[in-house]
Amino acid sequence: MWPEEFDYVLENAEEVTLEAPAFVGKDGLQHDAINRKALKIRIAEQDFQRIWPLAEARYRLGGKFAGKAVTLIANNPHYHSWHPADGGTADAASDGGVRPTTKYVIAHFLLDDVRDAAVAA
């Protein structure tokens, strides 16, 4: 199960479709076309560092995504175009006059339906 302490990460997730045509790589190998459902997030860099250990593992979700499972794309070569990327920065106002800057990361989770195996009677 997805750790509850990180539920906030998926609160504003956008459902997207990852698409890429089939191609022959530099190594001469044929790579299949990609057409997968995913969740796209924009997250503060420090929060992304906290969820990084969850990368490349599959987690079941609850709440509004009940019946789904996610896998954080981190370094899978098939999904290179959707590896974590710069998500820009945002300046915040503060009472002391210092304007702290928050760095963001754009990341994607593969999104799958959960299929439970039926027990044979």
Side-chain angles (χ1 to χ4, degrees), residues 1-2 7 9-16 38-41 59-70 111-114:
M1 289 295 292
W2 178 256
D7 282 350
V9 169
L10 302 174
E11 284 177 359
N12 296 314
E14 174 187 357
E15 287 192 49
V16 298
L39 294 177
K40 177 181 176 182
I41 63 167
Y59 294 92
R60 287 178 178 229
L61 300 176
K64 71 178 184 178
F65 295 112
K68 304 283 185 185
V70 292
L111 182 64
D112 299 303
D113 290 325
V114 175

Side-chain angles (χ1 to χ4, degrees), residues 22-104:
F23 68 96
V24 176
K26 294 178 183 177
D27 52 9
L29 296 175
Q30 174 70 30
H31 297 270
D32 294 335
I34 296 171
N35 189 347
R36 292 283 309 266
K37 289 185 179 185
L39 294 177
K40 177 181 176 182
I41 63 167
R42 182 174 184 248
I43 183 173
E45 185 177 59
Q46 67 185 29
D47 289 335
F48 181 74
Q49 291 172 358
R50 290 183 61 218
I51 67 167
W52 177 259
L54 305 178
E56 306 296 341
R58 190 168 185 252
Y59 294 92
R60 287 178 178 229
L61 300 176
K64 71 178 184 178
F65 295 112
K68 304 283 185 185
V70 292
T71 306
L72 176 61
I73 299 171
N75 54 17
N76 185 318
H78 297 292
Y79 297 100
H80 184 269
S81 298
W82 301 282
H83 285 181
D86 183 5
T89 59
D91 292 330
S94 70
D95 295 336
V98 177
R99 297 182 58 87
T101 300
T102 302
K103 293 181 181 181
Y104 287 90

